[in-house]
Amino acid sequence: MGENMRAIGIERFGDTPELRELPVPEPAWGQVQVAIEAAAINPLDMAIASGSLRTLGEYRFPLTLGMDGAGTVTAIGGGITEYRVGDRVFGQFWSQPLEFGTFAEVCVVQEAPAFGALAAIPDDIPSQVAAALPTSGMTALGAIDHTHVPEGGTLLVIGATGGVGTFVVQTAAARGIKVIATASAHLADQVRGLGADEIVIRGEQPIEEALNKLAPDGVDAIIDAVGDHRITSAVATAVRDGGALLSTAFGLDQRLLDDSRIHTANYRLDRKPERLAELTRLATAGTIRPVIGTALSLQDGPAALTGGAGSIGLRGKTVLVVRHPA
């Protein structure tokens, strides 16, 4: 690996992420060093770069970005019990303090990340697939759990073609939940293939009007993965009394958060190690799979992060292929 590596990062909050050469980090006590094979982009990455999460934990600069990744353990620090050199691992690499992310050829991470989760990659899951699972997949599982929709219930998914939305549709369908999903016309068939029962074509008519026809008696819950306050406010009345309206994209305004008729929340990912373990089981069983819309090189990462080619607005997940496994 040499003494230096390529990494995408910032010198201070608010910087535009850049690809640069940095020294290869060495694992300290309680840390493992991972040769990253693939990493996935999330909105969380630019939230960290902007400084909007600066009060959450400690950060050290230069800060290498990237939360989701998969690779092979190449060295271990003292006190490590779970992993050995040569093990394949994946997860949300959110150590405390945060300094070394996954948008790099080498990362060091706590064996049990303070704000994230790490696990062994099942043998039959490729690194690109593993890297695309953690943050979006765990968020989808958590959001569905918090809605408490029963088997046979009805769930509306707003934004079913993004990273979180594609996982919500698959997981809900696997649990026997009827899924109504919003999607653009050219992606409607793809979302049906993920398990959606009904599609509301974006732009054809207001979602609330479509819901009146598709679910005249209302829905048990809504999960919003878009973050448009206007849309969430318009559809809230479609949720039955005692149901749930959750946003994974901070799409609920204060009026909705104060609503006592239904359970409302801007959901933030919780119980990460437990959710990563469940995600691993579901992926191993073939119950869910990430939709990888774009695969890019590490060199293309900065443009993807800032809205250029391969940005997070494309369908499914954007994955950075850092190196091909030996």
Side-chain angles (χ1 to χ4, degrees), residues 155-162 164-165 168-169 180-183 202 207 211 222-228 231-233 235-236 245-246 248-249:
L155 172 69
L156 169 67
V157 182
I158 301 172
T161 58
V164 172
V168 170
V169 172
I180 301 172
T182 71
R202 195 167 62 238
I207 298 176
L211 273 184
I222 298 173
I223 293 177
D224 162 58
V226 173
D228 186 326
I231 293 176
T232 53
S233 294
V235 298
L245 168 56
L246 300 185
T248 64

Side-chain angles (χ1 to χ4, degrees), residues 6-319:
R6 296 180 305 153
I8 297 170
I10 56 174
E11 291 285 345
R12 63 190 63 81
F13 290 128
D15 281 359
T16 300
E18 294 182 344
L19 184 67
R20 60 189 70 197
E21 291 269 332
L22 289 174
V24 171
E26 297 296 330
W29 180 273
Q31 295 180 331
V32 296
Q33 182 191 67
V34 180
I36 298 294
E37 291 160 9
I41 292 176
N42 295 287
L44 175 63
D45 302 312
M46 285 307 291
I48 285 174
S50 71
S52 64
L53 299 180
R54 71 177 72 203
T55 59
L56 185 58
E58 179 187 349
Y59 300 86
R60 291 183 182 168
F61 296 90
L63 172 63
T64 297
L65 299 172
M67 285 296 176
D68 285 0
T72 300
V73 175
T74 44
I76 60 175
I80 299 299
T81 59
E82 288 291 317
Y83 304 109
R84 297 178 179 179
V85 171
D87 288 349
R88 297 174 65 229
V89 296
F90 79 118
Q92 190 189 68
F93 289 55
W94 196 340
S95 294
Q96 165 73 342
L98 181 61
E99 182 177 8
F100 304 110
T102 59
F103 298 161
E105 291 173 314
V106 181
C107 175
V108 296
V109 61
Q110 293 167 321
E111 180 180 37
F115 293 148
L118 194 66
I121 302 176
D123 290 340
D124 56 348
I125 295 184
S127 295
Q128 288 187 43
V129 172
L133 287 167
T135 297
S136 292
M138 292 189 294
T139 299
L141 293 179
I144 291 173
D145 283 350
H146 281 279
T147 62
H148 300 292
V149 179
E151 183 176 354
T154 302
L155 172 69
L156 169 67
V157 182
I158 301 172
T161 58
V164 172
T166 50
F167 284 119
V168 170
V169 172
Q170 293 177 76
T171 306
R175 294 185 181 186
I177 295 169
K178 178 183 178 182
V179 176
I180 301 172
T182 71
S184 57
H186 73 286
L187 292 177
D189 287 343
Q190 180 195 35
V191 176
R192 286 188 192 278
L194 294 176
D197 297 276
E198 303 284 354
I199 304 293
V200 176
I201 302 298
R202 195 167 62 238
E204 284 194 354
Q205 62 180 320
I207 298 176
E208 59 272 24
E209 289 183 10
L211 273 184
N212 285 336
K213 300 171 185 174
L214 294 173
D217 297 326
V219 298
D220 292 288
I222 298 173
I223 293 177
D224 162 58
V226 173
D228 186 326
H229 288 188
R230 182 189 59 79
I231 293 176
T232 53
S233 294
V235 298
T237 56
V239 180
R240 301 185 185 113
D241 289 355
L245 168 56
L246 300 185
S247 177
T248 64
F250 296 94
L252 306 192
D253 60 22
Q254 196 57 49
R255 185 184 64 82
L256 282 178
L257 293 174
D258 292 338
D259 193 329
S260 58
R261 185 184 69 84
I262 57 178
H263 169 56
T264 59
N266 285 315
Y267 172 68
R268 294 183 70 163
L269 186 50
D270 61 346
R271 293 158 51 192
K272 293 180 183 181
E274 176 185 329
R275 298 202 189 285
L276 187 63
E278 182 183 359
L279 197 58
T280 303
R281 290 192 297 270
L282 291 170
T284 301
T287 304
I288 63 170
R289 67 186 191 281
V291 175
I292 299 176
T294 312
L296 302 169
S297 68
L298 190 63
Q299 183 175 333
D300 293 326
L305 281 164
T306 54
S311 71
I312 56 176
L314 295 176
R315 91 186 144 83
K317 298 294 298 180
T318 296
V319 169

